[in-house]
Amino acid sequence: AVVTAAVVPAADAAADMASTASVPSGEASVVRQQKLLIPGCAPTSSLAREFSLLMAIRTWNTPVLPLQCCPFHSALRELRASSRSLERSKCRPIFAPNAEAQCQHCGILSLGDDMDEDEDEGTKLQYCNFCRAFSIKLITTRPNRQSL
């Protein structure tokens, strides 16, 4: 049997993410006590991390095994296998995000393409494709490379 998966546009997935946004109790306080890859920036929310993983696996052509319940869970099985493989790889002490901007609402990082300086505020906020807020601004601190 041929199994097909519905393709949901990124905008629809972003709307789903925004409509179900919630931060687990105590998550923000726990993260504040931990060292972040980019000091001075907010941690990326769990919801934004999950959404970015969903967007990544939508770019993969993975096998759908007959015993899997659906193509989505088959893709998640492949994600788990890839994650386990990466966990077994050698350490990367200078690993850091490739980002120059961050959404102030969901915490997702971006390259900051087409960011314009605003004379009054210092930075003009840009549109976030993840949470649909005009809240992406340039990062003023650099990644914490030495301590990783």
Side-chain angles (χ1 to χ4, degrees), residues 7-146:
V7 176
V8 179
D12 292 343
D16 290 344
M17 183 194 81
S19 67
T20 60
S22 65
V23 175
S25 172
E27 178 180 314
S29 62
V30 170
V31 174
R32 283 190 197 114
Q33 297 170 6
Q34 297 174 344
K35 188 181 300 185
L36 295 171
L37 291 172
I38 304 176
C41 286
T44 303
S45 71
S46 296
L47 200 57
R49 292 190 314 257
E50 290 174 12
F51 182 72
S52 64
L53 286 171
L54 278 174
M55 297 309 294
I57 63 174
R58 286 175 183 230
T59 65
W60 300 357
N61 186 21
T62 59
V64 179
L65 300 177
L67 298 177
Q68 285 294 140
C69 59
C70 66
F72 171 68
H73 284 104
S74 288
L76 288 177
R77 183 181 54 76
E78 295 298 319
L79 172 66
R80 188 171 33 257
S82 296
S83 177
R84 286 181 180 149
S85 177
L86 287 170
E87 285 177 353
R88 289 188 299 268
S89 66
K90 67 178 184 173
C91 289
R92 299 177 186 186
I94 59 169
F95 176 81
N98 184 21
E100 294 181 4
Q102 182 182 38
C103 177
Q104 303 303 292
H105 183 257
C106 71
I108 202 77
L109 298 172
S110 76
L111 293 175
D113 296 334
D114 302 322
M115 296 289 293
D116 298 324
E117 291 294 322
D118 184 3
E119 293 176 15
D120 298 331
E121 298 293 321
T123 301
K124 184 183 279 186
L125 298 178
Q126 298 292 326
Y127 181 75
C128 177
N129 290 318
F130 284 90
C131 70
R132 295 182 164 187
F134 279 94
S135 59
I136 294 181
K137 75 176 201 176
L138 291 174
I139 295 171
T140 57
T141 59
R142 295 293 26 137
N144 190 358
R145 295 173 191 264
Q146 284 78 11

